[in-house]
């Protein structure tokens, strides 16, 4: 009975709110008498029940108001991009250990094939999905463990180096993998993990991807996985990666993109949702798959660009990220000072899922080979 009264009270609150929005100074079309009587009867019934169970009614009202208040807080972005914000946030994520506890060594989405999605994505090991993503990205970029053994590789935006170490191991001891990031804490952690595994061919350093210190034509492979999102100058980001790639070298990139708005402009909801996604996880802005392809073509250094939208095989990662935290709370439960941050991150994960689901966001994949005569 208490549950029914709580539901009824909540219904009354929503009904009253609806009345407030519809009863605008005579600008409303006449309402039929039968419908009005029915509405009055329903409100009368709800009011009687509310009077009979005042405690339940108050609790339900408080719950509704509380939920609305929490949503208002969560809808207000807390980590707007500015100079230094990317390094600061990734230093914090690395130091608190929560991200590494759940995501393992890889700060990127996972890959789920059709069979795994049909069986239920939660049945797949969350971290295994990330290794599968790397393998699929290698295939997409035409990178082969045997053919590219001994390659000199640059991992742009390496996180704490999970992919760098994986490639260093996969391509063999003669390969040289360099990972760059803005976060000193990520460099420290990446180096520690490489030493633990005896991977002397994986190195990490703090460097701005928009102003790399490497000479032209330095690397056989340039790899960029989910780093473009944080770049304040997408053109400089692309130009620098093309510059340091050797002629004949392979380039592969994965990055979150917004849909191309040149054919269909963003509406108010689109703009509001994008602004939240920019500002909650310190992104300056996103661009479309088409815009990235145009930037690569504009360098005149690359051969044909292969592109794809990997939304379908990656979208499960957003909600899977939330579920692993629910199934195993040990990564955050003993860190009360991080509770609000965890709630905000979970909320943003859900907002990301919905944005990808409705096509506002796309998961951009790019692969190209640098021309040999440049």
């Amino acid at each position: 009975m208490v549950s029914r009264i709580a539901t009824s009270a909540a219904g009354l609150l929503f009904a009253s709110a609806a009345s407030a929005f519809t009863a605008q100074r005579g600008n409303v079309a006449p309402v039929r008498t039968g419908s009005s009587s029915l509405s009055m009867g329903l409100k009368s019934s709800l009011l009687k029940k509310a009077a009979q169970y005042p405690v339940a009614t108050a609790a339900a009202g408080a719950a509704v108001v509380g939920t609305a208040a929490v949503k208002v807080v969560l809808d207000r972005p807390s980590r707007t991009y500015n100079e230094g914000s990317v390094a600061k946030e990734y230093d914090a994520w690395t130091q608190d250990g929560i991200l590494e506890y759940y995501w393992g060594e890889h700060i990127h989405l996972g890959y789920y094939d059709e069979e795994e999605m049909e069986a239920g994505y939660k049945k797949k090991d969350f971290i295994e999905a990330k290794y599968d993503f790397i393998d699929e990205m290698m295939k997409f970029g035409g990178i082969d463990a045997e053919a590219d053994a001994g390659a000199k590789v640059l991992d742009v935006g390496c996180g704490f180096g999970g992919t760098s170490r994986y490639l260093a191991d996969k391509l063999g001891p003669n390969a040289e993998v360099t990972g760059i990031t803005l976060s000193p804490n990520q460099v420290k952690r990446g180096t520690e993990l490489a030493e633990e595994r005896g991977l002397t061919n994986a190195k990490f350093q703090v460097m701005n991807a928009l102003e790399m210190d490497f000479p032209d034509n330095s690397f056989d492979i340039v790899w960029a996985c989910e780093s473009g999102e944080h770049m304040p100058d997408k053109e400089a980001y692309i130009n620098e990666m093309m510059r340091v790639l050797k002629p004949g070298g392979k380039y592969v990139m994965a990055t979150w993109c917004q849909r191309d708005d040149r054919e269909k402009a963003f509406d108010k909801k689109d703009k509001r949702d994008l602004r939240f996604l920019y500002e909650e996880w310190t992104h300056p802005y996103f661009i479309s798959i088409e815009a990235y392809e145009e930037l690569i073509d504009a360098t005149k250094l690359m051969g044909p660009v292969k592109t794809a939208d990997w939304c379908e095989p990656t979208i499960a990662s957003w909600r899977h990220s939330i579920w692993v935290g629910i199934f195993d709370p040990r990564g955050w439960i003993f860190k009360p000072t991080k509770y609000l941050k965890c709630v905000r991150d979970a909320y943003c994960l859900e907002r990301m899922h919905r944005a990808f689901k409705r096509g506002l966001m796309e998961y951009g994949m790019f692969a190209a080979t640098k021309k040999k005569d440049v």
Side-chain angles (χ1 to χ4, degrees), residues 173-314:
N174 293 325
E176 295 179 25
V177 182
T178 302
I180 64 170
T181 171
L182 290 173
S183 166
N185 281 358
Q186 287 186 332
V187 168
K188 180 175 180 293
R189 184 60 179 147
T191 301
E192 289 172 352
L193 291 170
E195 290 174 350
E196 286 178 13
R197 288 159 178 72
L199 291 169
T200 58
N201 59 335
K203 306 291 185 182
F204 305 95
Q205 58 190 103
V206 175
M207 188 180 294
N208 184 352
L210 304 184
E211 298 176 346
M212 296 190 214
D213 298 334
F214 307 117
D216 295 356
N217 309 323
S218 294
F219 297 94
D220 302 297
I221 297 170
V222 171
W223 177 288
C225 184
E226 297 185 10
S227 56
E229 300 87 339
H230 292 295
M231 301 297 167
D233 186 337
K234 312 300 188 194
E235 183 177 8
Y237 172 62
I238 293 297
N239 288 346
E240 276 293 274
M241 290 190 288
M242 304 301 98
R243 179 183 68 79
V244 300
L245 184 64
K246 292 179 181 179
K250 300 174 183 178
Y251 168 73
V252 62
M253 176 175 74
T255 189
W256 310 342
C257 298
Q258 62 193 36
R259 69 167 173 79
D260 191 345
D261 65 329
R262 288 173 291 190
E263 293 187 8
K264 180 184 178 183
F266 295 133
D267 60 24
K268 290 183 179 179
K269 175 176 170 52
D270 293 334
K271 292 178 181 178
R272 183 173 65 248
D273 288 349
L274 285 171
R275 181 181 177 186
F276 176 85
L277 299 180
Y278 296 161
E279 297 182 0
E280 180 57 22
W281 277 346
T282 194
H283 300 119
Y285 62 97
F286 306 134
I287 63 175
S288 66
I289 292 175
E290 292 82 358
Y292 268 119
E293 183 178 8
E294 290 164 7
L295 288 175
I296 296 170
D297 284 338
T299 66
K300 301 186 184 304
L301 298 174
M302 307 299 289
V305 183
K306 178 171 68 171
T307 67
D309 179 2
W310 276 14
C311 178
E312 287 190 11
T314 61

Side-chain angles (χ1 to χ4, degrees), residues 78-93 182-183 230 278-279 281-284:
S78 64
R79 287 165 280 191
T80 302
Y81 177 86
N82 56 62
E83 187 176 354
S85 63
V86 175
K88 177 183 175 183
E89 289 303 323
Y90 277 106
D91 272 348
W93 273 319
L182 290 173
S183 166
H230 292 295
Y278 296 161
E279 297 182 0
W281 277 346
T282 194
H283 300 119

Side-chain angles (χ1 to χ4, degrees), residues 144-165:
D144 181 79
E146 293 185 6
D148 293 302
K152 192 173 181 182
V153 182
L154 175 64
D155 183 2
V156 182
C158 62
F160 33 82
T163 298
S164 299
R165 288 185 295 278

